[in-house]
Each structure stands twice: as C-alpha cells, then as structure tokens.
C-alpha cells in the first residue's frame, strides 16, 4: 500500500512537467523530472514485487489494472529516455504522451478496483455471525472447515473428542503477515470451549474468518 501511494505521487510529479512545458516554463517539476522518473520506475518495480505474494488473495481486477499501469509507466519512461536519441522525435513524443495518459487511466482504475475490493471485503467480514456450537452431540473425529472473504481465507481442521474441541489446526491462512497473530484465537477457543470469544487485537478480520471456518467445520 505504501509503495502504491509513493508511485501515485511520483507519477503526478512526473506529469506536472508537461504543464510547465506547455506554459514554456522551466520550473521545479522540469528540473526534477528525470530523477523523479527514475524513482517512479524503481518504486513501480518494487511495488509489483512486494505485492506478488498477495496474487491469490486479492481480486483479479486489482492486479490486472495495476500491472497494466506499471507496464505503461515503464514504457513511457523508456520512451522518454529515447526521445533525445530517436530519429523521429515527434513520433516518440506522441507515444510518450499516449503511454503516460494510459498509465494515468489505469492508475485511476487500479485505485477504484482497490476501493471496491476493500469495501466488499469489509462487508463480507461484517456479515460473519459468530455463534457457539454445542459440540457435546458431535461424534469424535476430525472436521475440515474453511471460509474465504477474498482478502483473507482460512482452512482448518477441528478435532472433536468426548464432546469437546480437542484441537484446532490451521491448515491454510491466506491474507498476509498482519493476520498471523489471529491464529492465537484457536487456543482461547479450545480453552473456553466456546467459539464466540474476543477477537485478537490488530487482527480482527482474520480472527473472525477463523471463527467462521470453525463454525463451518462443526456444522
């Protein structure tokens, strides 16, 4: 997220040079255009690399628009570098402007996809109803449960013995390192023999998804 914001800011800074050029001025944005462009490329590549781990935990629209925006940013930067060396500078300049425009369009679409995705994700988490389940009537065995809200997905195994939750094993927890602390909730659930326990501070969403997966396993 942080790198994405940096990329957007740098892109705006780079594009502001065009406004100065139209006015025939050589202002601050013209002077920092080259270093800002280099930083934009570096930040874009770093952003793509660091977000790759979330490829299976984010809506496809977010990655599609982001990758396309990144492609046009790189294309516009390389094309801008070649402007002074090209035989047909006019054509190169036109391609540069088109690539920059398309990059801007896909950055906007990328941000819109993130807003829509996060809003839908939060709504799905809020719709999770956590209730306790009477385990005393459930036969002994291992029960598999899962729950997926796109940004966070959990698959686990609940072992029932003598009418009690004997063990809860997290088989898969997708959603990033920030949700890992939520896994401690399984010990509280085992200790209290109650699914409806307090969520882990700082990992509320993952906690609720884990609780929902346990409910699905025992139903």
């Amino acid at each position: 997220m942080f790198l994405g914001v940096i990329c957007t800011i740098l892109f705006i800074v780079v594009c502001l040079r065009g406004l100065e050029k139209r006015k025939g001025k050589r202002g601050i944005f013209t002077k920092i255009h080259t270093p800002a462009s280099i930083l934009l490329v570096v930040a874009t590549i770093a952003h793509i690399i660091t977000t790759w781990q979330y490829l299976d935990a984010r809506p496809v629209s977010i990655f599609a628009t982001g990758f396309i925006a990144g492609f046009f940013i790189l294309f516009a930067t390389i094309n801008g570098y070649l402007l002074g060396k090209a035989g047909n500078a006019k054509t190169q300049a036109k391609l540069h402007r088109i690539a920059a425009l398309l990059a801007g369009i896909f950055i906007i679409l990328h941000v819109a996809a993130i807003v829509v995705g996060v809003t839908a994700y939060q709504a799905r988490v809020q719709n999770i109803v956590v209730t306790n389940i009477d385990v005393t009537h459930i036969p002994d065995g291992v029960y598999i449960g899962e729950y997926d809200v796109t940004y966070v997905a959990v698959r686990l195994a609940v072992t029932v013995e003598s009418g009690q939750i004997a063990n809860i094993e997290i088989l898969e927890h997708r959603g990033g390192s920030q949700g890992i602390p939520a896994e401690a909730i399984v010990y509280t659930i085992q200790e209290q023999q109650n699914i409806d326990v307090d969520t882990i501070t700082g990992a509320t969403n993952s906690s609720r998804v884990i609780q929902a997966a346990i409910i699905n396993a025992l139903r």
Side-chain angles (χ1 to χ4, degrees):
M1 177 66 76
F2 175 74
L3 280 174
V5 173
I6 294 298
C7 288
T8 303
I9 294 173
L10 286 171
F11 180 78
I12 293 172
V13 169
V14 169
C15 290
L16 285 174
R17 183 228 185 184
L19 295 177
E20 290 184 339
K21 191 174 181 181
R22 285 188 176 184
K23 295 179 180 179
K25 297 180 180 180
R26 183 175 175 78
I28 182 64
F29 295 111
T30 300
K31 294 177 181 179
I32 66 173
H33 182 74
T34 298
S37 297
I38 295 173
L39 286 175
L40 175 59
V41 170
V42 173
T44 298
I45 294 174
H47 183 47
I48 291 174
I49 292 174
T50 55
T51 55
W52 192 263
Q53 61 178 313
Y54 302 110
L55 187 61
D56 61 345
R58 298 290 186 272
V60 175
S61 58
I62 292 178
F63 281 95
T65 53
F67 287 148
I68 295 174
F71 168 78
F72 282 118
I73 286 173
L74 295 176
F75 181 86
T77 304
I78 294 172
N79 189 266
Y81 173 76
L82 296 175
L83 275 177
K85 302 182 179 182
N88 192 341
K90 188 175 181 180
T91 300
Q92 290 295 118
K94 185 176 181 180
L95 289 174
H96 181 70
R97 289 193 297 270
I98 291 174
L101 175 62
L102 289 173
I105 290 173
F106 278 97
I107 286 175
I108 293 172
L109 291 175
H110 182 57
V111 173
I114 291 174
V115 172
V116 171
V118 171
T119 301
Y121 156 63
Q122 294 290 357
R124 293 188 67 182
V125 172
Q126 291 301 318
N127 287 333
I128 294 175
V129 178
V130 179
T131 56
N132 197 30
I133 291 181
D134 185 4
V135 186
T136 58
H137 301 295
I138 297 178
D140 289 358
V142 179
Y143 299 86
I144 304 298
E146 56 187 36
Y147 205 84
D148 188 346
V149 292
T150 305
Y151 280 70
V152 179
V154 171
R155 184 171 181 271
L156 47 73
V158 181
T159 301
V160 176
E161 291 180 0
S162 303
Q164 289 191 322
I165 297 175
N167 185 55
I168 302 173
E169 180 183 359
I170 304 290
L171 303 177
E172 180 184 3
H173 183 187
R174 190 184 71 212
S177 58
Q178 66 272 20
I180 292 178
E183 296 181 5
I185 198 173
V186 301
Y187 302 114
T188 305
I189 291 173
Q190 287 176 223
E191 181 182 350
Q192 298 185 14
Q193 291 297 305
N194 187 353
I195 302 172
D196 190 10
V197 299
D198 291 338
T199 57
I200 304 298
T201 302
T204 301
N205 289 349
S206 285
S207 298
R208 297 189 70 179
V209 172
I210 290 172
Q211 290 172 305
I214 294 172
I215 291 172
N216 282 346
L218 297 176
R219 277 179 174 171

